[in-house]
Amino acid sequence: MKKHDMPLNRTPPPPGADMQRIAAFVQVAQPVDIAAWLATLPCPEAWQHLARLPLARRARVFANLPLDAQVDMARCAVPAALAELVVRMNSDDRADLFNLLAPEEQQRLMHDLPREDREDIRRLAAHPEGSAGAIMTSDYATLGPDMTAQQAIAELRRTAPDRETIYRSYVLDDAKRLIGSIRLHELILTDGDTPIADLMDRAPVSVTLDTPREEVARAIERYDILALPVLDADGRLAGIVTHDDAADAMRAETTEDFHRISTVLPFEHSLREAGIGVLYSKRIVWLALLVFGNLFSGAGIAFFEETILAYVSLVFFLPLLIDSSGNAGSQSATLMVRALATGDVALKDWRDLILRELIVAALLGGTMALVVSPVGILRGGPEIAMVVGLTMFLVVVVGSLVGMSLPFLLSRLRLDPATASGPLVTTISDAVGVLVYFSIATMVLTL
Protein backbone atom coordinates (compact mmCIF):
# COMPACT_ATOMS: atom_id res chain seq x y z
CA MET A 1 0.00 0.00 0.00
CA LYS A 2 1.36 3.42 -0.96
CA LYS A 3 1.87 6.01 1.75
CA HIS A 4 -0.90 8.27 0.45
CA ASP A 5 -3.30 5.32 0.35
CA MET A 6 -2.93 4.56 4.09
CA PRO A 7 -6.11 5.10 6.14
CA LEU A 8 -6.15 8.20 8.33
CA ASN A 9 -6.19 7.45 12.06
CA ARG A 10 -7.63 10.40 13.96
CA THR A 11 -8.43 8.37 17.08
CA PRO A 12 -6.24 9.48 20.03
CA PRO A 13 -3.68 6.81 20.96
CA PRO A 14 -4.49 4.80 24.10
CA PRO A 15 -2.09 4.80 27.07
CA GLY A 16 1.06 2.86 26.27
CA ALA A 17 0.58 3.07 22.49
CA ASP A 18 3.66 2.51 20.32
CA MET A 19 5.40 5.39 18.55
CA GLN A 20 4.07 4.34 15.14
CA ARG A 21 0.48 4.69 16.36
CA ILE A 22 1.26 8.04 17.98
CA ALA A 23 3.03 9.35 14.87
CA ALA A 24 0.09 8.33 12.65
CA PHE A 25 -2.33 10.23 14.91
CA VAL A 26 -0.20 13.36 15.27
CA GLN A 27 0.37 13.55 11.52
CA VAL A 28 -3.31 13.80 10.56
CA ALA A 29 -5.12 15.11 13.68
CA GLN A 30 -6.17 18.74 14.09
CA PRO A 31 -4.16 20.85 16.59
CA VAL A 32 -7.14 21.03 18.97
CA ASP A 33 -7.42 17.21 19.00
CA ILE A 34 -3.69 16.78 19.59
CA ALA A 35 -3.91 19.30 22.42
CA ALA A 36 -6.80 17.40 24.03
CA TRP A 37 -4.74 14.21 23.90
CA LEU A 38 -1.58 15.86 25.29
CA ALA A 39 -3.60 17.30 28.19
CA THR A 40 -4.23 13.74 29.41
CA LEU A 41 -0.51 12.89 29.57
CA PRO A 42 2.05 13.62 32.28
CA CYS A 43 3.88 16.86 31.60
CA PRO A 44 7.32 15.40 30.63
CA GLU A 45 5.73 12.90 28.25
CA ALA A 46 3.54 15.61 26.70
CA TRP A 47 6.60 17.76 26.06
CA GLN A 48 8.39 14.87 24.37
CA HIS A 49 5.57 14.43 21.86
CA LEU A 50 5.10 18.18 21.41
CA ALA A 51 8.81 18.69 20.68
CA ARG A 52 8.63 16.32 17.70
CA LEU A 53 6.23 18.64 15.84
CA PRO A 54 7.37 21.41 13.49
CA LEU A 55 7.59 24.73 15.33
CA ALA A 56 4.55 26.38 13.72
CA ARG A 57 2.32 23.33 14.35
CA ARG A 58 3.81 22.97 17.84
CA ALA A 59 2.74 26.53 18.69
CA ARG A 60 -0.81 25.97 17.42
CA VAL A 61 -1.13 22.78 19.47
CA PHE A 62 0.20 24.47 22.61
CA ALA A 63 -2.21 27.40 22.17
CA ASN A 64 -5.13 24.95 22.04
CA LEU A 65 -4.27 23.37 25.38
CA PRO A 66 -6.53 24.35 28.31
CA LEU A 67 -4.99 27.22 30.24
CA ASP A 68 -4.29 25.10 33.31
CA ALA A 69 -2.48 22.55 31.11
CA GLN A 70 -0.47 25.36 29.50
CA VAL A 71 0.60 26.53 32.93
CA ASP A 72 1.63 23.02 33.98
CA MET A 73 3.66 22.53 30.81
CA ALA A 74 5.22 25.98 31.13
CA ARG A 75 6.47 25.06 34.60
CA CYS A 76 8.21 21.89 33.44
CA ALA A 77 9.54 23.31 30.16
CA VAL A 78 13.04 24.40 29.24
CA PRO A 79 12.77 28.25 29.31
CA ALA A 80 14.11 28.69 25.78
CA ALA A 81 11.68 26.10 24.36
CA LEU A 82 8.74 27.79 26.10
CA ALA A 83 9.77 31.23 24.83
CA GLU A 84 9.99 29.83 21.31
CA LEU A 85 6.34 28.82 21.50
CA VAL A 86 5.13 31.98 23.22
CA VAL A 87 6.58 34.17 20.46
CA ARG A 88 4.42 32.36 17.92
CA MET A 89 1.20 32.42 19.96
CA ASN A 90 -1.53 34.98 19.39
CA SER A 91 -0.97 38.00 21.59
CA ASP A 92 -4.14 37.56 23.66
CA ASP A 93 -3.44 33.86 24.26
CA ARG A 94 0.05 34.45 25.55
CA ALA A 95 -1.14 37.31 27.77
CA ASP A 96 -3.67 34.91 29.37
CA LEU A 97 -0.88 32.40 30.02
CA PHE A 98 1.40 35.10 31.43
CA ASN A 99 -1.24 36.24 33.93
CA LEU A 100 -1.53 32.73 35.38
CA LEU A 101 2.19 32.27 35.99
CA ALA A 102 3.83 33.05 39.31
CA PRO A 103 5.92 36.29 39.42
CA GLU A 104 9.25 34.44 39.26
CA GLU A 105 7.96 32.37 36.33
CA GLN A 106 6.87 35.53 34.55
CA GLN A 107 10.33 37.04 34.96
CA ARG A 108 11.99 33.88 33.67
CA LEU A 109 9.76 33.86 30.59
CA MET A 110 10.27 37.57 29.89
CA HIS A 111 14.04 37.11 30.03
CA ASP A 112 13.93 34.81 26.99
CA LEU A 113 11.51 36.86 24.88
CA PRO A 114 12.38 39.57 22.33
CA ARG A 115 11.80 43.13 23.55
CA GLU A 116 8.80 43.74 21.27
CA ASP A 117 7.02 40.64 22.57
CA ARG A 118 7.79 41.54 26.18
CA GLU A 119 6.23 44.97 25.78
CA ASP A 120 3.18 43.55 24.02
CA ILE A 121 2.56 41.01 26.80
CA ARG A 122 2.97 43.62 29.55
CA ARG A 123 0.54 45.95 27.81
CA LEU A 124 -2.17 43.33 27.32
CA ALA A 125 -1.71 41.71 30.74
CA ALA A 126 -2.16 45.05 32.52
CA HIS A 127 -5.88 45.33 31.77
CA PRO A 128 -8.46 44.27 34.41
CA GLU A 129 -9.88 40.77 34.16
CA GLY A 130 -13.27 40.72 32.46
CA SER A 131 -12.68 43.87 30.37
CA ALA A 132 -12.30 44.26 26.61
CA GLY A 133 -8.63 45.09 27.13
CA ALA A 134 -8.04 41.71 28.81
CA ILE A 135 -9.37 39.67 25.86
CA MET A 136 -8.21 41.78 22.92
CA THR A 137 -5.33 40.94 20.59
CA SER A 138 -2.79 43.25 19.00
CA ASP A 139 -2.50 41.07 15.89
CA TYR A 140 -4.70 43.20 13.64
CA ALA A 141 -4.27 44.62 10.13
CA THR A 142 -4.05 48.39 9.57
CA LEU A 143 -4.10 50.54 6.45
CA GLY A 144 -3.60 54.21 5.70
CA PRO A 145 -6.38 56.40 4.27
CA ASP A 146 -4.13 57.55 1.41
CA MET A 147 -3.57 54.04 0.05
CA THR A 148 -5.27 52.72 -3.04
CA ALA A 149 -7.00 49.35 -3.08
CA GLN A 150 -4.04 47.83 -4.94
CA GLN A 151 -1.55 49.18 -2.40
CA ALA A 152 -3.73 47.94 0.45
CA ILE A 153 -3.80 44.39 -0.95
CA ALA A 154 -0.02 44.44 -1.31
CA GLU A 155 0.31 45.63 2.31
CA LEU A 156 -2.01 42.89 3.56
CA ARG A 157 -0.10 40.27 1.59
CA ARG A 158 3.08 41.43 3.33
CA THR A 159 1.71 41.53 6.89
CA ALA A 160 -0.87 38.71 6.79
CA PRO A 161 1.40 35.99 8.27
CA ASP A 162 1.67 37.94 11.54
CA ARG A 163 -2.02 38.87 11.85
CA GLU A 164 -4.80 36.89 13.52
CA THR A 165 -7.34 38.07 10.94
CA ILE A 166 -7.24 40.16 7.76
CA TYR A 167 -10.89 39.85 6.75
CA ARG A 168 -11.40 43.36 8.09
CA SER A 169 -8.65 45.97 8.19
CA TYR A 170 -8.67 49.17 10.22
CA VAL A 171 -7.86 52.56 8.77
CA LEU A 172 -5.81 54.80 11.05
CA ASP A 173 -4.68 58.41 10.80
CA ASP A 174 -1.16 59.58 11.63
CA ALA A 175 -1.96 59.57 15.37
CA LYS A 176 -3.21 55.95 15.16
CA ARG A 177 -6.80 57.04 15.78
CA LEU A 178 -9.42 54.82 14.19
CA ILE A 179 -11.12 56.61 11.31
CA GLY A 180 -12.63 53.69 9.42
CA SER A 181 -12.59 50.00 8.53
CA ILE A 182 -12.77 48.01 5.32
CA ARG A 183 -13.54 44.39 4.46
CA LEU A 184 -11.14 42.28 2.43
CA HIS A 185 -13.65 41.36 -0.28
CA GLU A 186 -14.31 45.06 -0.95
CA LEU A 187 -10.60 45.53 -1.67
CA ILE A 188 -10.53 42.53 -3.97
CA LEU A 189 -13.66 43.44 -5.95
CA THR A 190 -13.00 47.16 -6.45
CA ASP A 191 -10.80 48.89 -9.01
CA GLY A 192 -7.14 48.90 -7.95
CA ASP A 193 -6.81 52.69 -8.17
CA THR A 194 -9.75 53.42 -5.85
CA PRO A 195 -8.64 55.25 -2.69
CA ILE A 196 -9.25 53.51 0.62
CA ALA A 197 -10.91 56.68 1.89
CA ASP A 198 -13.69 56.20 -0.67
CA LEU A 199 -14.32 52.58 0.32
CA MET A 200 -14.02 52.46 4.09
CA ASP A 201 -16.81 52.43 6.63
CA ARG A 202 -16.36 55.75 8.43
CA ALA A 203 -18.35 54.78 11.51
CA PRO A 204 -17.15 51.32 12.58
CA VAL A 205 -18.62 49.82 15.73
CA SER A 206 -16.07 49.95 18.56
CA VAL A 207 -15.69 49.57 22.31
CA THR A 208 -13.30 50.97 24.91
CA LEU A 209 -10.65 49.22 26.95
CA ASP A 210 -12.81 49.01 30.06
CA THR A 211 -15.98 47.74 28.35
CA PRO A 212 -17.13 44.52 30.10
CA ARG A 213 -16.42 41.42 28.06
CA GLU A 214 -20.08 40.36 28.00
CA GLU A 215 -20.99 43.67 26.32
CA VAL A 216 -18.24 43.06 23.76
CA ALA A 217 -19.66 39.61 22.98
CA ARG A 218 -23.17 41.02 22.65
CA ALA A 219 -21.95 43.72 20.24
CA ILE A 220 -20.20 41.16 18.03
CA GLU A 221 -23.38 39.07 17.98
CA ARG A 222 -25.66 42.06 17.40
CA TYR A 223 -23.71 43.50 14.47
CA ASP A 224 -22.65 40.09 13.08
CA ILE A 225 -18.98 40.99 12.72
CA LEU A 226 -15.84 38.87 12.98
CA ALA A 227 -13.89 41.33 15.13
CA LEU A 228 -14.51 44.47 17.17
CA PRO A 229 -11.94 47.29 17.53
CA VAL A 230 -10.97 48.40 21.04
CA LEU A 231 -10.06 52.07 21.51
CA ASP A 232 -8.16 53.83 24.27
CA ALA A 233 -9.29 57.07 25.91
CA ASP A 234 -7.90 59.14 23.00
CA GLY A 235 -9.62 57.12 20.28
CA ARG A 236 -6.46 55.26 19.28
CA LEU A 237 -6.77 51.64 18.23
CA ALA A 238 -5.44 49.49 21.09
CA GLY A 239 -6.48 46.08 19.76
CA ILE A 240 -9.35 43.99 18.47
CA VAL A 241 -11.56 41.30 20.01
CA THR A 242 -12.20 38.45 17.58
CA HIS A 243 -15.43 36.46 17.50
CA ASP A 244 -13.80 33.30 18.91
CA ASP A 245 -12.38 35.18 21.90
CA ALA A 246 -15.78 36.82 22.43
CA ALA A 247 -17.40 33.37 22.40
CA ASP A 248 -14.86 32.16 24.97
CA ALA A 249 -15.60 35.21 27.13
CA MET A 250 -19.35 34.65 26.93
CA ARG A 251 -18.90 30.99 27.81
CA ALA A 252 -16.87 32.03 30.86
CA GLU A 253 -19.55 34.54 31.88
CA THR A 254 -22.27 31.92 31.47
CA THR A 255 -20.29 29.47 33.59
CA GLU A 256 -19.92 32.09 36.32
CA ASP A 257 -23.65 32.78 36.18
CA PHE A 258 -24.45 29.10 36.59
CA HIS A 259 -22.10 28.94 39.58
CA ARG A 260 -23.68 31.95 41.21
CA ILE A 261 -27.22 30.76 40.47
CA SER A 262 -26.37 27.74 42.64
CA THR A 263 -24.55 30.01 45.15
CA VAL A 264 -21.17 28.51 44.28
CA LEU A 265 -18.33 31.03 44.20
CA PRO A 266 -16.78 31.08 40.70
CA PHE A 267 -13.51 29.20 40.19
CA GLU A 268 -11.11 29.04 37.26
CA HIS A 269 -10.55 25.28 37.12
CA SER A 270 -12.79 22.83 35.32
CA LEU A 271 -14.85 20.59 37.57
CA ARG A 272 -12.71 17.60 36.60
CA GLU A 273 -9.48 19.42 37.48
CA ALA A 274 -10.67 21.20 40.64
CA GLY A 275 -9.33 19.74 43.87
CA ILE A 276 -11.29 18.90 47.00
CA GLY A 277 -10.04 22.02 48.75
CA VAL A 278 -11.17 24.30 45.92
CA LEU A 279 -14.63 22.74 45.69
CA TYR A 280 -15.07 22.90 49.47
CA SER A 281 -13.98 26.54 49.80
CA LYS A 282 -16.17 27.69 46.90
CA ARG A 283 -19.32 26.03 48.26
CA ILE A 284 -19.12 26.35 52.02
CA VAL A 285 -19.46 30.15 52.21
CA TRP A 286 -22.98 30.42 50.84
CA LEU A 287 -24.13 27.17 52.43
CA ALA A 288 -23.11 28.52 55.85
CA LEU A 289 -24.80 31.87 55.21
CA LEU A 290 -28.01 30.22 54.04
CA VAL A 291 -28.14 28.21 57.26
CA PHE A 292 -28.68 31.46 59.14
CA GLY A 293 -31.35 32.43 56.62
CA ASN A 294 -33.18 29.18 57.27
CA LEU A 295 -33.17 29.95 60.97
CA PHE A 296 -35.86 32.55 60.26
CA SER A 297 -38.13 29.77 58.99
CA GLY A 298 -37.49 27.79 62.15
CA ALA A 299 -38.15 30.85 64.31
CA GLY A 300 -41.45 31.39 62.50
CA ILE A 301 -42.54 27.82 63.15
CA ALA A 302 -41.58 28.14 66.84
CA PHE A 303 -43.52 31.42 67.16
CA PHE A 304 -46.73 29.76 65.95
CA GLU A 305 -46.23 26.62 67.99
CA GLU A 306 -49.65 26.90 69.71
CA THR A 307 -51.46 27.11 66.37
CA ILE A 308 -49.58 24.08 65.07
CA LEU A 309 -50.40 22.04 68.18
CA ALA A 310 -54.08 22.94 67.91
CA TYR A 311 -54.29 22.12 64.19
CA VAL A 312 -51.74 19.40 63.44
CA SER A 313 -53.12 18.99 59.92
CA LEU A 314 -51.44 22.29 59.02
CA VAL A 315 -48.05 20.56 59.09
CA PHE A 316 -49.10 18.34 56.17
CA PHE A 317 -49.29 21.36 53.83
CA LEU A 318 -46.17 23.17 55.06
CA PRO A 319 -43.62 21.61 52.64
CA LEU A 320 -46.04 21.98 49.73
CA LEU A 321 -46.64 25.68 50.35
CA ILE A 322 -43.10 26.83 51.03
CA ASP A 323 -41.73 24.78 48.11
CA SER A 324 -44.30 26.38 45.81
CA SER A 325 -43.17 29.81 46.96
CA GLY A 326 -39.51 28.97 46.39
CA ASN A 327 -40.18 27.38 43.00
CA ALA A 328 -42.15 30.40 41.79
CA GLY A 329 -39.40 32.72 43.02
CA SER A 330 -36.67 30.67 41.31
CA GLN A 331 -38.59 30.77 38.03
CA SER A 332 -38.92 34.55 38.13
CA ALA A 333 -35.33 35.08 39.21
CA THR A 334 -33.92 32.81 36.50
CA LEU A 335 -35.93 34.59 33.79
CA MET A 336 -34.81 37.99 35.06
CA VAL A 337 -31.13 37.08 35.51
CA ARG A 338 -30.95 35.76 31.96
CA ALA A 339 -32.74 38.80 30.55
CA LEU A 340 -30.33 41.15 32.36
CA ALA A 341 -27.32 39.12 31.21
CA THR A 342 -28.33 39.25 27.54
CA GLY A 343 -29.31 42.93 27.66
CA ASP A 344 -32.94 42.09 26.92
CA VAL A 345 -34.03 44.27 29.86
CA ALA A 346 -32.44 47.13 31.80
CA LEU A 347 -32.90 48.73 35.20
CA LYS A 348 -35.30 51.30 33.74
CA ASP A 349 -37.71 48.48 32.87
CA TRP A 350 -38.18 47.50 36.53
CA ARG A 351 -41.61 49.08 37.08
CA ASP A 352 -43.24 47.67 33.95
CA LEU A 353 -41.84 44.19 34.56
CA ILE A 354 -42.90 44.13 38.22
CA LEU A 355 -46.47 45.10 37.29
CA ARG A 356 -46.60 42.41 34.63
CA GLU A 357 -45.10 39.84 37.01
CA LEU A 358 -47.73 40.73 39.60
CA ILE A 359 -50.50 39.88 37.13
CA VAL A 360 -48.80 36.64 36.04
CA ALA A 361 -48.08 35.63 39.66
CA ALA A 362 -51.72 36.28 40.64
CA LEU A 363 -52.89 34.01 37.83
CA LEU A 364 -50.38 31.32 38.81
CA GLY A 365 -51.24 31.60 42.51
CA GLY A 366 -54.97 31.47 41.83
CA THR A 367 -54.62 28.37 39.68
CA MET A 368 -52.47 26.59 42.26
CA ALA A 369 -54.88 27.59 45.05
CA LEU A 370 -57.74 25.95 43.14
CA VAL A 371 -55.65 22.80 42.70
CA VAL A 372 -54.69 22.45 46.38
CA SER A 373 -57.97 23.53 48.04
CA PRO A 374 -59.77 20.19 47.51
CA VAL A 375 -56.89 18.45 49.28
CA GLY A 376 -57.38 20.87 52.20
CA ILE A 377 -61.05 19.87 52.42
CA LEU A 378 -60.13 16.19 52.54
CA ARG A 379 -57.43 16.66 55.17
CA GLY A 380 -59.05 19.18 57.50
CA GLY A 381 -62.34 20.57 56.28
CA PRO A 382 -63.41 23.89 54.70
CA GLU A 383 -61.47 26.06 57.17
CA ILE A 384 -58.16 24.33 56.42
CA ALA A 385 -58.94 24.50 52.69
CA MET A 386 -59.49 28.25 53.00
CA VAL A 387 -56.18 28.69 54.84
CA VAL A 388 -54.24 26.56 52.38
CA GLY A 389 -55.81 28.13 49.28
CA LEU A 390 -55.31 31.71 50.46
CA THR A 391 -51.75 30.96 51.56
CA MET A 392 -50.91 29.31 48.25
CA PHE A 393 -52.13 32.37 46.38
CA LEU A 394 -50.12 34.79 48.54
CA VAL A 395 -46.87 32.82 48.73
CA VAL A 396 -46.73 32.34 44.96
CA VAL A 397 -47.29 36.07 44.45
CA VAL A 398 -44.73 37.03 47.09
CA GLY A 399 -42.17 34.47 45.88
CA SER A 400 -42.52 35.62 42.28
CA LEU A 401 -42.10 39.28 43.22
CA VAL A 402 -39.07 38.48 45.37
CA GLY A 403 -37.51 36.50 42.53
CA MET A 404 -38.19 39.30 40.06
CA SER A 405 -37.00 42.12 42.34
CA LEU A 406 -33.77 40.73 43.78
CA PRO A 407 -31.82 40.70 40.47
CA PHE A 408 -32.81 44.34 39.89
CA LEU A 409 -31.75 45.27 43.43
CA LEU A 410 -28.39 43.54 43.11
CA SER A 411 -27.79 45.18 39.72
CA ARG A 412 -28.60 48.54 41.27
CA LEU A 413 -25.98 47.83 43.96
CA ARG A 414 -23.51 46.84 41.21
CA LEU A 415 -23.50 43.20 42.33
CA ASP A 416 -23.94 40.16 40.12
CA PRO A 417 -27.71 39.52 39.74
CA ALA A 418 -27.08 35.81 39.22
CA THR A 419 -26.56 35.54 42.96
CA ALA A 420 -30.30 36.18 43.40
CA SER A 421 -31.33 32.91 41.82
CA GLY A 422 -31.60 29.44 43.27
CA PRO A 423 -30.99 28.91 46.97
CA LEU A 424 -30.98 32.60 47.95
CA VAL A 425 -34.45 33.27 46.55
CA THR A 426 -35.68 29.93 47.89
CA THR A 427 -34.42 30.72 51.40
CA ILE A 428 -36.11 34.13 51.46
CA SER A 429 -39.33 32.74 49.99
CA ASP A 430 -39.38 29.87 52.50
CA ALA A 431 -39.12 32.24 55.46
CA VAL A 432 -41.84 34.50 54.06
CA GLY A 433 -44.02 31.47 53.26
CA VAL A 434 -43.86 30.17 56.83
CA LEU A 435 -44.84 33.54 58.29
CA VAL A 436 -47.68 34.04 55.79
CA TYR A 437 -49.02 30.51 56.25
CA PHE A 438 -49.23 30.46 60.01
CA SER A 439 -50.36 34.09 60.26
CA ILE A 440 -53.32 33.32 58.01
CA ALA A 441 -54.00 30.07 59.87
CA THR A 442 -53.98 31.84 63.24
CA MET A 443 -56.38 34.55 62.07
CA VAL A 444 -58.81 32.33 60.17
CA LEU A 445 -58.95 29.40 62.56
CA THR A 446 -59.18 31.61 65.65
CA LEU A 447 -62.16 33.38 64.13
Side-chain angles (χ1 to χ4, degrees):
M1 182 181 291
K2 295 181 180 179
K3 183 177 180 180
H4 60 270
D5 292 332
M6 294 179 63
L8 299 180
N9 183 5
R10 293 189 173 89
T11 304
D18 57 56
M19 290 304 302
Q20 184 177 3
R21 173 75 180 272
I22 293 174
F25 166 73
V26 169
Q27 182 179 3
V28 300
Q30 295 294 321
V32 65
D33 296 323
I34 300 175
W37 170 64
L38 291 179
T40 65
L41 303 178
C43 185
E45 184 180 350
W47 263 113
Q48 291 177 5
H49 295 303
L50 189 65
R52 294 189 179 96
L53 300 175
L55 180 57
R57 185 169 171 81
R58 192 188 318 161
R60 288 197 297 273
V61 170
F62 185 81
N64 277 287
L65 285 167
L67 269 175
D68 52 355
Q70 288 185 25
V71 172
D72 290 341
M73 293 192 67
R75 287 171 176 163
C76 68
V78 175
L82 176 63
E84 195 176 34
L85 293 181
V86 170
V87 167
R88 289 180 170 262
M89 292 174 66
N90 291 332
S91 57
D92 54 331
D93 293 333
R94 63 189 184 186
D96 291 339
L97 171 61
F98 179 81
N99 281 330
L100 293 178
L101 296 176
E104 61 274 11
E105 294 167 339
Q106 293 177 345
Q107 293 179 5
R108 187 163 57 248
L109 174 60
M110 288 297 201
H111 180 269
D112 293 305
L113 293 176
R115 178 181 177 182
E116 181 180 352
D117 295 293
R118 290 200 303 266
E119 293 177 351
D120 183 65
I121 289 176
R122 286 196 182 99
R123 181 172 60 86
L124 293 179
H127 298 290
E129 187 68 23
S131 66
I135 61 173
M136 71 181 183
T137 176
S138 57
D139 298 330
Y140 51 84
T142 62
L143 300 172
D146 299 329
M147 289 182 175
T148 63
Q150 184 176 359
Q151 291 171 333
I153 292 174
E155 174 67 12
L156 292 177
R157 187 177 292 117
R158 183 181 67 83
T159 60
D162 298 324
R163 301 293 179 256
E164 187 165 347
T165 177
I166 60 170
Y167 294 110
R168 183 177 288 271
S169 302
Y170 301 95
V171 185
L172 310 181
D173 63 13
D174 294 337
K176 292 190 176 182
R177 287 188 294 266
L178 180 67
I179 59 175
S181 67
I182 187 168
R183 291 178 292 179
L184 179 61
H185 81 272
E186 291 175 330
L187 293 175
I188 295 174
L189 296 178
T190 194
D191 184 77
D193 295 328
T194 306
I196 292 296
D198 293 346
L199 296 172
M200 68 182 185
D201 174 9
R202 295 182 177 273
V205 180
S206 63
V207 294
T208 59
L209 287 167
D210 57 353
T211 301
R213 61 184 181 182
E214 59 268 29
E215 292 185 19
V216 175
R218 284 200 294 265
I220 288 178
E221 180 183 20
R222 177 182 178 85
Y223 297 104
D224 194 21
I225 51 181
L226 292 176
L228 191 64
V230 182
L231 309 182
D232 64 14
D234 298 319
R236 294 188 295 265
L237 184 61
I240 62 171
V241 178
T242 56
H243 66 96
D244 55 332
D245 291 325
D248 290 341
M250 186 56 71
R251 182 169 62 249
E253 286 292 329
T254 302
T255 300
E256 286 187 9
D257 285 347
F258 271 108
H259 288 164
R260 289 195 171 98
I261 283 172
S262 299
T263 58
V264 175
L265 298 179
F267 53 92
E268 297 295 333
H269 304 80
S270 67
L271 181 60
R272 182 172 58 86
E273 299 290 339
I276 293 175
V278 171
L279 294 175
Y280 170 81
S281 63
K282 297 300 183 180
R283 296 171 65 178
I284 189 60
V285 175
W286 269 106
L287 284 177
L289 290 174
L290 291 174
V291 165
F292 292 99
N294 288 324
L295 290 177
F296 288 101
S297 299
I301 293 174
F303 183 80
F304 293 100
E305 185 176 358
E306 292 183 3
T307 302
I308 295 173
L309 291 175
Y311 301 94
V312 179
S313 58
L314 293 174
V315 178
F316 175 81
F317 296 97
L318 182 59
L320 182 150
L321 293 170
I322 63 174
D323 283 352
S324 296
S325 176
N327 291 339
S330 293
Q331 284 185 339
S332 298
T334 301
L335 291 173
M336 185 51 55
V337 167
R338 186 57 184 164
L340 287 170
T342 59
D344 186 38
V345 299
L347 290 176
K348 62 182 178 63
D349 301 317
W350 180 81
R351 181 177 299 176
D352 292 339
L353 289 172
I354 287 295
L355 291 175
R356 189 174 64 178
E357 182 65 16
L358 179 60
I359 297 172
V360 173
L363 293 173
L364 293 172
T367 302
M368 295 179 70
L370 291 174
V371 170
V372 77
S373 293
V375 182
I377 295 175
L378 293 175
R379 292 289 302 185
E383 295 85 357
I384 297 296
M386 180 186 300
V387 170
V388 172
L390 184 57
T391 301
M392 177 64 80
F393 174 81
L394 290 177
V395 296
V396 169
V397 171
V398 171
S400 298
L401 294 181
V402 169
M404 183 67 69
S405 302
L406 268 181
F408 276 111
L409 177 61
L410 292 174
S411 295
R412 185 82 176 185
L413 298 175
R414 300 187 180 280
L415 300 174
D416 194 328
T419 309
S421 290
L424 181 57
V425 167
T426 300
T427 300
I428 296 174
S429 299
D430 287 355
V432 173
V434 168
L435 295 176
V436 170
Y437 181 34
F438 290 118
S439 295
I440 292 175
T442 300
M443 289 186 294
V444 172
L445 298 178
T446 300
L447 290 174

